[in-house]
Amino acid sequence: MNKNSKTTKKSSKHRSKVHPFNRPKRNHANININNNGKKIVKFIENNSDADDENDDYEFVHHQNTKTELKEKANKLLSIRKTLPVYQNKNEIMKYLTENQVTVLIGETGSGKSTQIPQFLLNFFQENKIRGSIAVTQPRRVAAINLATRVASEYGCNIGSYVGYSVRFDNTTSSTTKLKYLTDGMLLRELMMNPTLKEYNTIIIDEAHERTVLTDIILGFLKSLIHKSRPDLKIIVMSATLQAEKFSQFFDNAPILFVEGRKFNVTQYYLKAPSDDIVDSVIRSCVQINQGEQMGDILCFLPGQEEIDKAVTILNKISEIIHKETSVPLMIAYPLYAALPPAKQALVFNRVKGFKRKVIFSTNIAETSVTISGVKFVVDSGLRKVKVWRHQLGLATLLTVPISKASAMQRCGRAGRESEGKCYRLYRTNDYKKLPDQTEPEIARSNVTSPVLMLKKYGVQDIINWTWFENPGKEAIIMGLQELYQLGALDDFGKITKRGEQMSLLPIQPHLSSVLIKASECNCLSEVIDIVSCLSVENLLLNPQPEERDEVNERRLSLCNSGRHYGDLIMLKELFDIYFYDLGKDVASSVERQDWCKELCISYRGFKNVVKIREQLRTYCKWLFDSNSKTFSKKIKKNSINTNIGEDKEDDFYSTPFLNKKFSEDKDKIESILKCFLTGFTKNIAIGMPDRSYRTVTTGETVSVHPSSLLFLNKACPAIMYTEYVFTTKGYARNVSRIELSWLQEIVTNGHAVVKEKVAS
DNA sequence: ACAGGGTGT
């Protein structure tokens, strides 16, 4: 149909409508083209208070001319040459070219993630070796930043020889030879293209972090080199330690050590253990502020509660101390993932004058967020960890001591720019007793999704698969049972058509199953909207205690149906207001931001919801539309190589409110909730006479989480929830009201789990 | 009668 498909694809990326005469009042970028044809982005100064979410950011990649590229690359070359990896280039390359698998231990600042891929790229081009290089990263920003940096070092525009691929943003093209991608993305590619035939080298970076997805990739790679890809080169890159485990897994692959380039950090320990960690952290900050040179302080605390407390206390005492003694004024900032993005951004502000920035952070600052100017680290030695209990179908959130590796990583945050100091709020002996490594995530996770991937890939014996870390028989069997119950596996444990569909959807299996059910129940469009909201973490933010009641009141008054049916229906009502009522053009973005702020909703979160919704609508159309070509053909052509599918409000989806307004359409609401019941049959609790709820699976008591719209509504016959987390007690999150008669329907449809428990 | 560590498709 179109010979011009390449340009069509490219342009679809920037499809968003721009109304030049209706520009938003604030927070916008003004893009001019100067006489070189070079894009210039000027940021207009934010004229409002710094409190709103300035997150209309997009990654703008400048298209430079050849001469500009070359000049820039030449300038960067002198810096590259100082990197330890560059100085050992020949020896490293000797190992990499002579071995199929190499484990490379490079400390921070060694330049491994940027230089090694370039060495290989040059080597392959000089030797006319075909194929491209993939470098995986656990996080999106890392993939984007590395690709951008390497492109300029290499002297090309992003997307030509060097590109990146993360969800919703793909800058690769047919000429791309070096691709930085998230490990989630590489797994998607593996599902579509089981032999990874376009690559000759796969580099797994940050392997020491041991995320579930990295571990799974390692398992796939081992199978690949032993079977269909004996030619595939693999490099496992890790920041110190664990080298032996990687090496042994890949048949004793050689290990290379490259020293890093970082500054010395002196460690201090407590003489006596601390009994109040917030108090100890504050005391340390005050002490540093009195005795040490200028430089900011980064404090690691386990969670939001401790952080908010510490911020309040420090800000109170800091001014008093500053007035009475002539020490810098300390300014405290909180940092955790659930914080609104605009408040998160404040930790990057440089404080001017005789002041010292003090950041109280969760583990987010250990790997995901890097703050410059930090010279002192205060380490509580604690973190929070989510542990999945297979038998209970419940996650527990525990505060636990960190590992030695984690303590070193936290320490390192003080030595990025100059020498630093690290104050550990535990004794030398306590440190010695810490485990060397953090327990790999897969050992404490629900593995339903990995198991589905393996089934989709055609793995027969999952228990004895080439697991890098076997999650254990119990976990695998629970995963298989879940999948069987969701209809993804048949009586013989073989993947069903439904299971294939579930594995192709970019959401957790339970939600995939709900979507498929919805496609059979004429409420797909609505369920996609809700599932999209559920797929964004921290969409509904926690209001500050003083505005909590107000915000809850506003949410309740907006969501007429949510008030009765619960959080899933509330999400749909909120989505409809955001998406349909508030308007879509650039001019109304301010209106939408204000609306989000009033309801304590993340504006950035909702923008993500819209993207996910668009992706899900496209995928569902390909999956369920009988007129459509096969999914994998479509997705290979479109999804991997472009950004988002070509969804328009087309006739595959019925117009949502043709006849009735959603909130008045009782039948629709009930069929939506019944769809969710089929994916979350285990997450049902029955109302008891004493107004508590008991789960149908184990009879445990479960409470409605205070963030739920149903928190104050005490009289539901039964509830269904998408998450069951034990913190101070067992809490149900994303709660919906369920009628007992609906459960009867599920029972008659043959869901044994509910049948037994309801009867007993 | 009152609260969630961090990633990814």
Side-chain angles (χ1 to χ4, degrees):
Chain A
M1 175 192 113
N2 62 47
K3 301 172 221 164
N4 213 2
S5 64
K6 219 171 174 181
T7 28
T8 322
K9 270 186 212 165
K10 283 264 172 191
S11 63
S12 71
K13 182 175 153 191
H14 303 292
R15 210 190 310 118
S16 58
K17 295 168 209 153
V18 175
H19 298 261
F21 303 109
N22 260 333
R23 287 192 304 217
K25 289 170 203 146
R26 52 195 189 206
N27 295 340
H28 65 283
N30 194 7
I31 300 177
N32 299 327
I33 311 283
N34 74 3
N35 47 13
N36 295 328
K38 188 170 142 189
K39 269 186 196 167
I40 300 174
V41 181
K42 285 185 198 160
F43 285 95
I44 306 288
E45 207 167 310
N46 186 347
N47 57 11
S48 69
D49 55 337
D51 209 38
D52 56 27
E53 290 185 36
N54 176 13
D55 53 14
D56 259 326
Y57 73 91
E58 298 278 319
F59 292 94
V60 181
H61 299 290
H62 301 256
Q63 293 294 310
N64 294 311
T65 64
K66 267 189 182 171
T67 356
E68 287 169 334
L69 289 168
K70 220 176 164 184
E71 271 175 29
K72 201 172 169 190
N74 274 333
K75 270 185 199 159
L76 292 172
L77 187 61
S78 53
I79 305 169
R80 292 176 61 193
K81 283 181 176 164
T82 67
L83 291 168
V85 160
Y86 204 99
Q87 288 160 358
N88 297 290
K89 180 179 171 181
N90 292 338
E91 202 184 345
I92 293 171
M93 279 308 281
K94 186 172 167 283
Y95 276 95
L96 297 189
T97 50
E98 284 173 6
N99 294 283
Q100 178 172 23
V101 185
T102 315
V103 178
L104 194 138
I105 309 302
E107 297 179 327
T108 38
S110 65
K112 63 181 189 310
S113 313
T114 53
Q115 304 311 307
I116 296 211
Q118 291 185 76
F119 299 162
L120 288 168
L121 191 55
N122 288 333
F123 176 82
F124 294 146
Q125 283 185 341
E126 281 158 18
N127 293 279
K128 298 204 165 54
I129 296 171
R130 296 163 67 96
S132 53
I133 305 165
V135 187
T136 70
Q137 294 294 324
R139 282 168 294 279
R140 294 166 49 94
V141 258
I144 296 168
N145 291 343
L146 283 169
T148 310
R149 171 76 188 188
V150 169
S152 41
E153 287 186 3
Y154 199 70
C156 65
N157 281 313
I158 193 92
S160 57
Y161 295 105
V162 182
Y164 63 83
S165 170
V166 299
R167 191 184 195 180
F168 305 131
D169 195 0
N170 184 334
T171 64
T172 62
S173 65
S174 55
T175 56
T176 304
K177 291 287 170 211
L178 171 55
K179 176 154 136 191
Y180 286 86
L181 73 179
T182 46
D183 36 27
M185 261 306 188
L186 187 70
L187 273 170
R188 285 277 136 197
E189 291 192 10
L190 255 161
M191 295 296 107
M192 303 301 157
N193 166 16
T195 61
L196 295 175
K197 59 173 185 281
E198 64 173 293
Y199 302 110
N200 64 32
T201 307
I202 309 285
I203 301 177
I204 306 299
D205 201 0
E206 312 285 5
H208 62 281
E209 286 191 25
R210 304 294 312 278
T211 69
V212 171
L213 298 182
T214 314
D215 274 15
I216 298 290
I217 288 177
L218 290 172
F220 275 120
L221 290 180
K222 181 164 178 173
S223 307
L224 270 179
I225 57 170
H226 285 206
K227 289 174 187 160
S228 50
R229 287 298 307 274
D231 60 309
L232 186 67
K233 191 173 284 298
I234 295 168
I235 302 167
V236 181
M237 300 208 294
S238 163
T240 196
L241 300 161
Q242 285 195 329
E244 284 301 329
K245 189 171 164 93
F246 294 120
S247 167
Q248 278 164 22
F249 183 67
F250 286 109
D251 309 312
N252 297 316
I255 303 169
L256 302 183
F257 288 89
V258 186
E259 273 188 14
R261 221 187 32 184
K262 53 186 182 187
F263 298 94
N264 186 47
V265 178
T266 318
Q267 290 133 22
Y268 302 89
Y269 294 87
L270 286 189
K271 281 188 183 142
S274 151
D275 54 350
D276 179 342
I277 200 67
V278 174
D279 182 70
S280 304
V281 168
I282 302 267
R283 282 172 191 277
S284 308
C285 292
V286 171
Q287 206 176 311
I288 294 167
N289 194 46
Q290 274 165 357
E292 294 289 349
Q293 56 178 152
M294 292 305 280
D296 298 334
I297 308 173
L298 173 60
C299 307
F300 287 98
L301 281 165
Q304 183 179 341
E305 195 189 333
E306 294 85 353
I307 290 167
D308 288 341
K309 201 167 144 195
V311 168
T312 313
I313 297 174
L314 192 77
N315 277 337
K316 259 187 203 156
I317 63 171
S318 148
E319 205 153 324
I320 303 166
I321 302 172
H322 175 66
K323 274 183 191 157
E324 289 176 357
T325 57
S326 57
V327 295
L329 178 69
M330 290 184 283
I331 316 241
Y333 294 98
L335 178 62
Y336 43 83
L339 203 65
K343 291 194 173 144
Q344 269 184 34
L346 296 179
V347 305
F348 299 109
N349 288 350
R350 285 198 180 274
V351 293
K352 290 167 202 157
F354 193 49
K355 290 174 190 166
R356 193 192 300 270
K357 186 161 71 176
V358 181
I359 297 146
F360 296 100
S361 171
T362 59
N363 245 357
I364 193 172
E366 198 178 294
T367 47
S368 306
V369 173
T370 302
I371 306 150
S372 61
V374 172
K375 229 173 154 58
F376 308 98
V377 162
V378 178
D379 177 15
S380 67
L382 298 170
R383 64 168 185 143
K384 281 196 179 176
V385 63
K386 211 173 192 175
V387 179
W388 178 257
R389 310 290 299 271
H390 301 101
Q391 320 87 323
L392 301 174
L394 150 95
T396 48
L397 200 60
L398 306 169
T399 302
V400 297
I402 58 173
S403 65
K404 287 195 185 98
S406 178
M408 292 312 295
Q409 175 71 17
R410 289 180 175 187
C411 227
R413 295 275 143 174
R416 295 187 63 87
E417 289 142 20
S418 60
E419 292 200 341
K421 291 183 178 175
C422 176
Y423 299 80
R424 291 177 166 165
L425 303 183
Y426 37 92
R427 296 165 300 179
T428 322
N429 259 348
D430 300 324
Y431 175 78
K432 284 181 188 156
K433 283 181 207 150
L434 294 177
D436 286 342
Q437 298 296 326
T438 306
E439 187 188 26
E441 197 188 359
I442 199 164
R444 49 181 171 82
S445 299
N446 181 345
V447 291
T448 310
S449 183
V451 170
L452 180 61
M453 275 185 210
L454 296 186
K455 282 287 178 187
K456 157 74 181 156
Y457 198 78
V459 176
Q460 302 285 332
D461 184 357
I462 294 200
I463 289 175
N464 295 306
W465 185 62
T466 50
W467 295 93
F468 182 64
E469 184 91 34
N470 196 313
K473 230 180 188 172
E474 187 194 33
I476 294 171
I477 289 170
M478 286 307 290
L480 290 167
Q481 276 175 10
E482 289 279 294
L483 291 172
Y484 175 73
Q485 207 211 325
L486 295 173
L489 303 178
D490 65 16
D491 290 346
F492 307 98
K494 213 177 140 246
I495 190 164
T496 58
K497 190 187 166 222
R498 190 190 179 86
E500 298 258 358
Q501 292 177 327
M502 284 169 55
S503 75
L504 295 171
L505 288 166
I507 46 178
Q508 60 167 103
H510 295 86
L511 290 175
S512 303
S513 152
V514 172
L515 273 194
I516 294 172
K517 180 72 180 172
S519 74
E520 299 155 359
C521 298
N522 198 31
C523 55
L524 180 59
S525 182
E526 291 82 357
V527 168
I528 286 180
D529 295 347
I530 298 169
V531 166
S532 304
C533 291
L534 291 173
S535 302
V536 170
E537 287 295 312
N538 303 317
L539 178 65
L540 300 194
L541 303 160
N542 290 347
Q544 295 293 312
E546 57 273 17
E547 52 178 20
R548 187 167 50 191
D549 294 341
E550 243 176 282
V551 170
N552 283 341
E553 198 47 52
R554 278 188 217 127
R555 287 181 187 171
L556 274 169
S557 69
L558 262 185
C559 304
N560 276 320
S561 297
R563 198 158 41 192
H564 179 259
Y565 291 101
D567 302 323
L568 297 180
I569 299 305
M570 167 194 71
L571 288 174
K572 175 61 178 155
E573 287 181 292
L574 292 175
F575 177 84
D576 285 344
I577 296 169
Y578 177 90
F579 194 75
Y580 294 105
D581 298 353
L582 291 177
K584 291 185 205 179
D585 60 0
V586 176
S588 39
S589 89
V590 176
E591 191 189 341
R592 288 203 304 270
Q593 283 179 39
D594 291 344
W595 179 80
C596 285
K597 202 175 160 188
E598 253 182 35
L599 291 162
C600 206
I601 293 173
S602 163
Y603 174 60
R604 184 189 289 178
F606 245 121
K607 288 189 12 172
N608 256 328
V609 169
V610 173
K611 283 186 188 171
I612 293 171
R613 172 182 184 267
E614 202 177 339
Q615 190 182 39
L616 290 178
R617 286 171 75 95
T618 308
Y619 281 28
C620 284
K621 198 177 136 198
W622 289 339
L623 280 177
F624 307 136
D625 188 351
S626 50
N627 299 322
S628 185
K629 278 186 198 163
T630 69
F631 185 84
S632 47
K633 261 187 201 164
K634 283 260 186 186
I635 198 171
K636 258 184 211 167
K637 269 195 165 169
N638 292 286
S639 175
I640 288 177
N641 293 323
T642 66
N643 298 295
I644 292 181
E646 75 274 355
D647 177 56
K648 293 272 180 287
E649 304 284 326
D650 64 51
D651 46 346
F652 179 72
Y653 296 94
S654 55
T655 316
F657 333 107
L658 207 57
N659 304 315
K660 280 185 200 168
K661 201 170 172 1
F662 169 76
S663 57
E664 287 152 16
D665 197 340
K666 214 176 149 188
D667 294 340
K668 188 69 124 191
I669 290 177
E670 292 193 358
S671 62
I672 291 169
L673 291 176
K674 285 174 188 172
C675 285
F676 274 94
L677 272 178
T678 67
F680 292 95
T681 37
K682 281 189 161 178
N683 289 9
I684 296 169
I686 310 289
M688 294 290 142
D690 66 353
R691 298 196 299 196
S692 70
Y693 295 98
R694 300 214 173 224
T695 66
V696 292
T697 48
T698 57
E700 301 283 315
T701 310
V702 53
S703 309
V704 175
H705 193 272
S707 65
S708 170
L709 271 199
L710 294 186
F711 178 59
L712 296 170
N713 184 337
K714 290 170 182 75
C716 296
I719 53 170
M720 168 190 66
Y721 37 91
T722 63
E723 241 184 321
Y724 178 25
V725 184
F726 193 98
T727 50
T728 49
K729 55 180 177 172
Y731 281 112
R733 299 182 64 103
N734 298 315
V735 186
S736 293
R737 178 196 172 98
I738 296 300
E739 303 300 331
L740 292 172
S741 60
W742 301 357
L743 300 182
Q744 206 56 44
E745 282 176 44
I746 303 177
V747 174
T748 45
N749 286 339
H751 286 261
V753 186
V754 181
K755 199 174 183 173
E756 282 170 19
K757 300 296 171 181
V758 170
S760 64

